[in-house]
C-alpha cells in the first residue's frame, strides 16, 4: 500500500492536518456537552485559539522575511513596500468609514484562509510522482474551493449569526442567496460523493492513497461545515477556523527555519530556531501578546484581566482611530499579502525546496 507523498513526513503531516482537526472537533464536542458553546467566547479559548494560534501564526512570517538579513536584501522593495502600501490603503479605508476598513480586511482574510487550504493540496499534487492528470488535479482543487466557499455562501445567506469574522456586520448580508442554498448544498454533496467514491476506487484498484492530501481535503470539508453551517456558536467557529489554519502554518515556518538554519546559521531566525521549538513558539507568543495588548488598551478595552487597564479608560477619538487601528492591523494585512507571494516556485530557495514547494 502506498500512502505518500508527504510534505514533511507521515507523522508530522498527519499531526499538523489531522491532529488539528481532531482537536478542533473535540473542542466543539466538549463545548456542546458542557453547555458553553452558546455562551460568549470563553476567555480561555481566546487565549488558546486567538492569541496563541491565530495572532501568533501571523508573526511566524517573520522567520521567512524580516528575521533574515539576506532575504531582506534580496527583496527589500517587496518587504518594505507591502507594509507601507497596506497602511496607506487601509488608513484611507478607515477614513472613508470604519466598516469599509473592517469589511475589506475580513474579505482579504477569507481569501487568504481559502487559498491556504487550496495551497496545501497543490503542494501534495506537485510532489506526486507520477503526477495525476490535469483534470484530476483541477477536480481536487474544485472540491476544496467548494468545501470552503459553500459554507461561506451559506453564512452570507443566514446573517446575522452568533459569530463574525472580526466585528459584527463585517460580512455583507446576502439574503437573496437563501433561495439557492438548497441547490448549493445538493451540488456540494454530489461533489463530495464523487470525490470520496473516486478516492475509494483508487484505494482498491491501485492500492494507493495520498493520505496527507486526503486528510487536508476531508478535514477542510468537515471543519468548515461544522464550524459555519452545522452549528451557530462562536466557540465552534473559532476552534474549527483557527486551529485548522494556524497550526499547519506554524509547522511550515518551523521547518523552513530549520532548513534555513543550515544555510544561514547566524541569521536571527536561525538562532531562534536553533534554540528549540520553545524559543520559536515563545517568540511568536510574545509578539502576539504585545499586539493583542495594544488592541485591547487602545481599541477594545474588554480584557483588563489579561492586559491591564480598566473600565474607566477613554476610547480613542475617531481621528486617532484612523491612524492607530490600521497600524495595529498592519501585521495581519502584511501577512495576508506576503503569503500570496512567499511560497511560489519561482521564488524558491534551497531552504524553501526542503520545507515546502508550492506549484503556484
Amino acid at each position: 500500500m502506498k500512502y505518500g507523498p508527504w510534505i514533511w513526513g507521515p507523522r508530522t503531516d498527519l499531526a499538523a492536518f489531522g491532529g488539528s482537526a481532531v482537536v478542533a472537533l473535540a473542542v466543539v464536542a466538549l463545548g456542546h456537552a458542557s453547555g458553553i458553546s452558546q455562551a460568549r467566547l470563553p476567555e480561555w479559548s481566546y487565549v488558546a485559539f486567538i492569541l496563541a494560534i491565530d495572532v501568533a501564526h501571523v508573526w511566524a512570517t517573520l522567520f521567512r522575511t524580516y528575521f533574515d538579513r539576506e532575504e531582506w536584501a534580496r527583496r527589500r522593495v517587496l518587504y518594505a513596500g507591502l507594509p507601507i502600501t497596506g497602511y496607506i490603503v487601509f488608513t484611507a479605508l478607515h477614513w472613508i468609514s470604519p466598516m469599509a476598513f473592517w469589511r475589506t480586511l475580513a474579505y482579504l482574510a477569507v481569501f487568504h484562509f481559502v487559498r491556504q487550504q487550496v495551497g496545501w493540496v497543490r503542494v501534495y499534487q506537485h510532489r506526486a510522482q507520477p503526477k495525476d492528470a490535469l483534470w484530476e488535479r483541477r477536480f481536487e482543487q474544485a472540491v476544496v474551493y467548494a468545501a470552503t466557499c459553500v459554507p461561506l455562501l451559506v453564512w452570507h445567506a443566514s446573517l446575522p449569526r452568533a459569530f463574525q469574522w472580526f466585528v459584527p456586520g463585517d460580512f455583507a448580508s446576502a439574503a437573496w442567496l437563501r433561495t439557492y442554498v438548497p441547490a448549493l448544498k445538493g451540488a456540494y454533496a454530489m461533489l463530495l460523493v464523487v470525490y470520496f467514491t473516486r478516492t475509494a476506487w483508487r484505494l482498491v484498484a491501485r492500492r494507493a492513497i495520498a493520505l496527507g492530501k486526503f486528510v487536508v481535503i476531508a478535514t477542510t470539508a468537515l471543519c468548515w461545515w461544522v464550524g459555519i453551517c452545522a452549528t451557530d456558536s462562536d466557540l465552534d467557529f473559532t476552534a474549527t477556523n483557527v486551529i485548522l489554519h494556524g497550526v499547519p502554518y506554524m509547522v511550515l515556518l518551523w521547518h523552513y527555519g530549520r532548513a534555513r538554519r543550515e544555510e544561514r546559521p547566524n541569521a536571527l531566525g536561525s538562532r531562534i530556531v536553533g534554540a528549540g521549538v520553545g524559543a520559536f513558539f515563545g517568540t511568536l507568543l510574545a509578539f502576539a501578546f504585545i499586539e493583542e495588548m495594544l488592541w485591547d488598551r487602545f481599541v477594545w478595552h474588554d480584557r483588563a484581566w489579561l492586559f491591564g487597564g480598566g473600565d474607566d479608560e477613554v476610547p480613542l477619538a475617531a481621528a486617532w482611530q484612523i491612524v492607530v487601528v490600521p497600524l495595529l492591523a498592519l501585521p495581519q494585512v502584511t501577512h495576508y499579502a506576503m503569503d500570496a507571494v512567499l511560497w511560489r516556485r519561482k521564488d524558491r530557495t534551497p531552504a524553501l525546496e526542503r520545507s515546502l514547494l508550492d506549484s503556484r
Side-chain angles (χ1 to χ4, degrees):
M1 181 72 72
K2 181 181 178 182
Y3 295 100
W6 306 99
I7 297 178
W8 306 294
R11 183 174 299 176
T12 304
D13 284 28
L14 295 178
F17 299 115
S20 297
V22 168
V23 171
L25 294 172
V27 170
V28 172
L30 291 173
H32 284 271
S34 62
I36 65 174
S37 291
Q38 301 307 316
R40 183 177 181 270
L41 188 69
E43 297 296 351
W44 64 264
S45 64
Y46 163 80
V47 175
F49 305 144
I50 303 298
L51 179 64
I53 298 179
D54 191 31
V55 182
H57 98 277
V58 168
W59 290 97
T61 308
L62 290 171
F63 286 83
R64 177 73 173 87
T65 54
Y66 301 105
F67 278 179
D68 190 327
R69 185 180 299 177
E70 183 179 75
E71 181 67 20
W72 164 260
R74 186 173 75 92
R75 310 180 77 173
R76 187 178 288 111
V77 173
L78 174 68
Y79 296 148
L82 272 180
I84 294 172
T85 303
Y87 183 69
I88 292 171
V89 169
F90 278 86
T91 299
L93 286 168
H94 202 287
W95 177 78
I96 294 170
S97 81
M99 186 50 66
F101 168 89
W102 286 111
R103 184 160 292 177
T104 303
L105 187 62
Y107 282 108
L108 182 61
V110 166
F111 178 78
H112 165 72
F113 272 61
V114 171
R115 284 290 295 167
Q116 179 169 298
Q117 297 309 107
V118 176
W120 293 127
V121 171
R122 295 184 69 174
V123 174
Y124 280 112
Q125 291 174 338
H126 181 79
R127 293 195 166 183
Q129 297 295 335
K131 296 189 182 302
D132 293 331
L134 179 61
W135 75 266
E136 291 182 288
R137 300 198 298 272
R138 293 288 184 262
F139 172 72
E140 290 174 337
Q141 293 167 30
V143 173
V144 181
Y145 276 119
T148 51
C149 292
V150 170
L152 288 170
L153 291 173
V154 173
W155 184 353
H156 280 70
S158 57
L159 288 171
R161 303 293 298 277
F163 51 89
Q164 58 274 329
W165 201 277
F166 289 123
V167 297
D170 53 10
F171 277 1
S173 179
W176 59 270
L177 275 173
R178 294 176 186 173
T179 304
Y180 305 99
V181 164
L184 279 171
K185 291 181 178 179
Y188 176 42
M190 290 178 61
L191 190 66
L192 289 180
V193 168
V194 172
Y195 169 72
F196 286 114
T197 301
R198 171 180 166 274
T199 302
W201 176 84
R202 290 176 63 116
L203 181 63
V204 173
R206 302 185 185 181
R207 296 190 59 78
I209 181 173
L211 188 57
K213 179 176 63 177
F214 174 79
V215 167
V216 169
I217 295 174
T219 56
T220 299
L222 181 59
C223 287
W224 281 63
W225 188 265
V226 168
I228 296 175
C229 299
T231 64
D232 189 18
S233 161
D234 198 3
L235 176 63
D236 296 355
F237 169 70
T238 300
T240 54
N241 178 270
V242 167
I243 300 175
L244 205 68
H245 177 80
V247 170
Y249 189 82
M250 288 191 283
V251 172
L252 164 63
L253 268 298
W254 165 254
H255 280 270
Y256 175 83
R258 291 179 63 188
R260 186 60 172 155
R261 183 167 176 257
E262 297 177 12
E263 302 169 356
R264 296 277 296 175
N266 294 321
L268 176 59
S270 298
R271 294 200 299 270
I272 295 173
V273 169
V277 68
F280 171 78
F281 181 70
T283 300
L284 303 184
L285 193 59
F287 277 104
F289 184 89
I290 293 170
E291 179 190 337
E292 286 296 287
M293 179 181 66
L294 293 174
W295 273 109
D296 196 78
R297 296 300 298 272
F298 285 107
V299 181
W300 306 127
H301 308 297
D302 59 358
R303 289 191 170 88
W305 67 272
L306 181 60
F307 300 115
D311 295 336
D312 58 343
E313 289 183 300
V314 178
L316 283 176
W320 279 106
Q321 287 203 17
I322 293 173
V323 177
V324 173
V325 171
L327 185 62
L328 293 176
L330 195 56
Q332 296 175 65
V333 173
T334 305
H335 168 69
Y336 299 152
M338 283 190 178
D339 195 58
V341 299
L342 290 178
W343 311 105
R344 297 177 302 183
R345 290 186 65 200
K346 68 178 184 179
D347 300 311
R348 64 191 181 189
T349 63
L352 182 56
E353 291 275 9
R354 294 196 297 275
S355 59
L356 177 67
L357 184 54
D358 197 340
S359 58
R360 287 178 288 186

